[in-house]
Structure formats: C-alpha cells, structure tokens
Amino acid sequence: MKIRLTSIALASVIAGAAALAHTGATGVVLERMEGMKAMGDAVQAVAPMMRGEREYDADALRRAAETIEAHSGSAMTDLFPEGSNGDPSEARDLIWEEWDRFAALAEQMQVAARGLAMAADNGLAHEQGGMSTGTMMGGGSMMGGNGSAMMGSGSGMMGGGMMSGMTAADIGAMPADAAFAMASQVCSACHTRFRAEDE
C-alpha cells in the first residue's frame, strides 16, 4: 500500500512559507525568514521519500531532522523579539499575545525533530508490515481542509497537546514516516495559528 501522508501536503505549505520574498527584510526578520526557509527546504528534501516516490535514505532524513532541530526551540523564539512584526514579516501579532503557546510549539518542534532524527534508522511503516502513516494519522479526515480540526482552534489534538508528555525517545521509536508526520503537524499548527496568510 502506497503511503499517503496528510502531512506530506503540509510540506508544500511549509515550503511556500519558506519561499517568502526576502525583499526588504533585514536584521532579525531576515534571519528568521532564512531559518524558516532552511526548515522548509529540509522538509521538501525528504517529503518524496515519505511518499514512496524516492528510495528511503536514513542519512538524508537524519540531516533534514537535524536542520529542523537547529532552527527550533529557543533558536526560533529568540528570533521573535517583541515589535518585530509588520511588513515584510508574516508573523501575526498573536505570537506575542499568546507567547507561551508559540514558545510551546517551538519546543514541540525541537522535540519532534530530535525524535525524527532518532527514528531515521527505523525505516517506513509499510516496510515493517505496519500501518501506513496515512492510516495512523486518520487518512487526513481529522484535519479538514485547513488543518483546523487537528491544530487550529486549540481544542484539537495539537492545540490540546497531541505531543503532551511525548519525548524525543518516544517519537524516535516510531517508524520514520510517523515521526515525520508528527513533525510536519507541529509546523502546520504553528503556521496555521501564527503566520499571516497571503491575501
């Protein structure tokens, strides 16, 4: 059965966010745009493997996960000092209004990325005779069109802490595609709530 990851669709969202026009960006805004682009590029580099469109490469996945981890947690939150919104930034004011929630997502991203690096040697679920990640993640039916059912309102799985209590080791014990799905969902949860959409 071909793996169908709902989170793979998120890869294009992440890459789109990462492909921001950096025209006019300077200082911390430019620095965080470059960090987001590095994370988006890392996701795009491994997404075809997760879809089964390219041969699985544990080392490539580990490198991508390490890139994401390097730009997560406090490395991310440090790039969002108060007052650093407005054009060309796409950061919503909600970041500073809900700082604890934003910081928690940045930390969850770091944990998920660390776990993804650990899971790289586990291979893909279908190679182990297990469920595909699409099945484990609900085949996308839980997410809705914009991801709001799982992540947007705070009452869904991510907003309520789908990773609550999960360690990097917990995620690292999963098949690599399941760990990738978790990392992708954290990215999407943050973008859905805290990134201003293009009009």
Side-chain angles (χ1 to χ4, degrees), residues 113-137:
R114 189 172 301 130
L116 178 59
M118 295 166 66
D121 287 331
N122 298 344
L124 304 176
H126 76 279
E127 293 172 348
Q128 301 169 10
M131 294 185 292
S132 73
T133 306
T135 304
M136 288 187 280
M137 301 312 293

Side-chain angles (χ1 to χ4, degrees), residues 15-148:
L20 296 171
H22 293 181
T23 306
T26 59
V28 72
V29 173
L30 179 60
E31 195 175 340
R32 74 180 176 226
M33 286 179 167
E34 289 172 344
M36 295 293 180
K37 182 178 183 332
M39 288 194 289
D41 289 348
V43 169
Q44 286 293 352
V46 297
M49 290 190 303
M50 301 297 108
R51 290 190 297 258
E53 296 171 358
R54 199 175 80 215
E55 185 176 343
Y56 184 73
D57 181 340
D59 291 332
L61 182 59
R62 192 174 300 102
R63 284 191 303 273
E66 289 167 354
T67 297
I68 295 166
E69 182 181 358
H71 293 283
S72 302
S74 62
M76 179 184 291
T77 56
D78 288 351
L79 298 179
F80 285 87
E82 203 160 347
S84 63
N85 49 338
D87 283 337
S89 174
E90 291 189 346
R92 286 182 163 168
D93 293 345
L94 197 57
I95 288 174
W96 295 276
E97 294 167 17
E98 297 183 359
W99 183 258
D100 289 345
R101 186 174 182 170
F102 175 71
L105 283 168
E107 290 302 318
Q108 284 181 0
M109 186 72 257
Q110 192 166 54
V111 170
R114 189 172 301 130
L116 178 59
M118 295 166 66
D121 287 331
N122 298 344
L124 304 176
H126 76 279
E127 293 172 348
Q128 301 169 10
M131 294 185 292
S132 73
T133 306
T135 304
M136 288 187 280
M137 301 312 293
S141 61
M142 295 166 60
M143 290 188 59
N146 64 3
S148 59

